[in-house]
DNA sequence: TCTACTTTACTAACCAGTTAGTTAAACTGA
DNA sequence: TCAGTTTAACTAACTGGTTAGTAAAGTAGA
């Protein structure tokens, strides 16, 4: 028995696995750009270079394909994140590293963030969809690890004595908010908030600020921030920035 | 000449103004719950208690109605926010107050936040829509005021010397992220993250954390946080929490 | 000969927007 | 003061474009 068959519903050959991969990639693109309702099955088929009927052959429905795409990208993201937590370093340093990793991951791959935002809004409306699974398999383990990391840091006296969730929210929230509102900053700030230079500066500021905010000894926080930044280069920014996805408009 | 006629497109009688108000309220509800694409004109009409054609009589199109609804609620929010900035207090205290005010505003009225989130995603896709106007009339003045407030605080030595934008992002980001992911926390945390007690605790933590993070003198930050919290009671939480909006499903 | 895939043509639903008409209040002039 | 006229506010029923999903028959490779 093979190891796959997690996401797809049909067949199991090499060829079909490859095709499913192409479809999933196209689906991630289309869904992250247009949302579940806004995405067009024809567009996904066209980008994947296959016939529309094939989407229904492999994944039974639009929702099914959506779930599969969501699961694929989430698993990827989880594995990348968990790696940060497991480094050999003090809890405080790992908190800084994970904040930086989060920043870089959003930079390098917008799709996950975009899909999550949409999924949050769907969850709000009670259309849980594929989220239940993700919560158990992706978010719960990540959060548990984060929690024990921060608690360890508080217990050892390295970090200030505050709610561990607050540190988590402050780290992630700042990044998510910045990228979420990116187009707003573009209009509001007198400089381009997504030029490589400005991004590098933001990255620094995020980590330094966190260093000043959460460490008992602010000087140590600043030093660690410096160290973490020094050995983590900023990822390449993808060039396909703004026009990401295709608009679908009704004709008049 | 009358003062109104800003949002609506037709007539100007008392009766029509009242009807337009009802339609706009219904529209805010439906659009914030379902997004521009997901909202149903039939549903808005039904909630407003009028015929669908009347929506087209008063506002020419779905997009037009959307813009009008967005503008109405944004103006409301801006006025509430500006009030915080203008209090007679030190810059640092006003920063704390505005963070708390932001938290409370999201609590008391989810619609604005929800609409903004959606509008951010549309902006990303280049469908700027009504946002250009809002940026000039709502966000630009708020941001300018915030910036000078923080800079004043840094200049006087009250606040740490960091990018003013970082303080802004950290304050707002934490709140936005918490409420955006509310349903996720509901599943992940061992307690209800939206019970009045937990919310009160979050509110405290947010302000205290900011006090510790941005003030040169941490003790002063803690004291000011205490003071600000003491004279700002938490708003009532609306009871119509989770099921906000109506789902639209295709029939099989 | 089976699995993976294509092609073409279709349907059923959905939903923004329109049309053609109704109601009632306000205005007009003799 | 009231019949006649206009106009703003509103409705019921329909139209037409769009799109998820299906059906059925066929092709290519291993």
């Amino acid at each position: 028995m093979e190891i796959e068959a997690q996401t797809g519903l049909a067949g199991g050959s090499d060829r079909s696995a490859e095709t499913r991969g192409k479809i999933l990639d196209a689906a991630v693109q289309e869904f992250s750009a247009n949302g579940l309702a806004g995405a067009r099955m024809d567009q996904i088929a066209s980008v994947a270079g296959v016939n529309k009927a094939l989407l229904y052959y492999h994944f039974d429905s639009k929702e099914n394909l959506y779930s599969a795409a969501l699961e694929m990208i989430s698993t990827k993201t989880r594995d990348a994140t968990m790696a940060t937590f497991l480094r050999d370093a003090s809890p405080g340093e790992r908190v800084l590293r994970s904040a930086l990793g989060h920043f870089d991951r959003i930079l390098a791959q917008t799709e996950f963030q975009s899909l999550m935002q949409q999924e949050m809004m769907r969850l709000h409306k009670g259309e849980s969809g594929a989220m239940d699974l993700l919560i158990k398999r992706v978010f719960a383990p990540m959060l548990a690890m984060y929690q024990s990391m921060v608690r360890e840091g508080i217990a050892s006296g390295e970090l200030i004595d505050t709610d561990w969730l607050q540190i988590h929210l402050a780290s992630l929230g700042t990044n998510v908010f910045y990228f979420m509102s990116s187009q707003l900053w573009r209009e509001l700030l007198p400089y381009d908030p997504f030029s490589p230079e400005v991004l590098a500066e933001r990255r620094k500021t995020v980590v330094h600020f966190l260093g000043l905010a959460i460490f008992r000894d602010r000087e140590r926080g600043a030093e660690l921030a410096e160290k973490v930044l020094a050995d983590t280069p900023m990822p390449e920014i993808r060039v396909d920035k703004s026009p990401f996805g295709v608009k679908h408009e009704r004709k008049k």
Side-chain angles (χ1 to χ4, degrees), chain A residues 23 58 61 79 83 89 94 113 127 136 138 146 172 176 192 197 202 228 234 252:
Chain A
I23 294 175
H58 281 297
S61 63
D79 295 343
R94 277 179 286 150
Q113 194 50 46
E127 304 164 3
K136 285 203 189 77
V138 177
Y146 196 92
L172 303 195
V176 168
D192 175 10
E197 302 82 38
R202 278 261 87 243
V228 164
M234 188 167 92
K252 288 173 190 175

Side-chain angles (χ1 to χ4, degrees), chain A residues 106-144:
Chain A
I106 298 183
L107 243 193
Q109 193 222 39
T110 331
E111 287 85 356
F112 178 72
Q113 194 50 46
S114 189
L115 283 168
M116 279 309 124
Q117 240 167 272
Q118 291 169 0
E119 206 47 36
M120 287 301 121
M121 279 160 54
R122 291 186 66 226
L123 257 183
H124 239 294
K125 293 199 288 171
E127 304 164 3
S128 64
M131 214 52 182
D132 288 334
L133 196 80
L134 290 189
I135 287 170
K136 285 203 189 77
R137 296 232 292 243
V138 177
F139 293 105
M142 277 168 47
L143 207 70

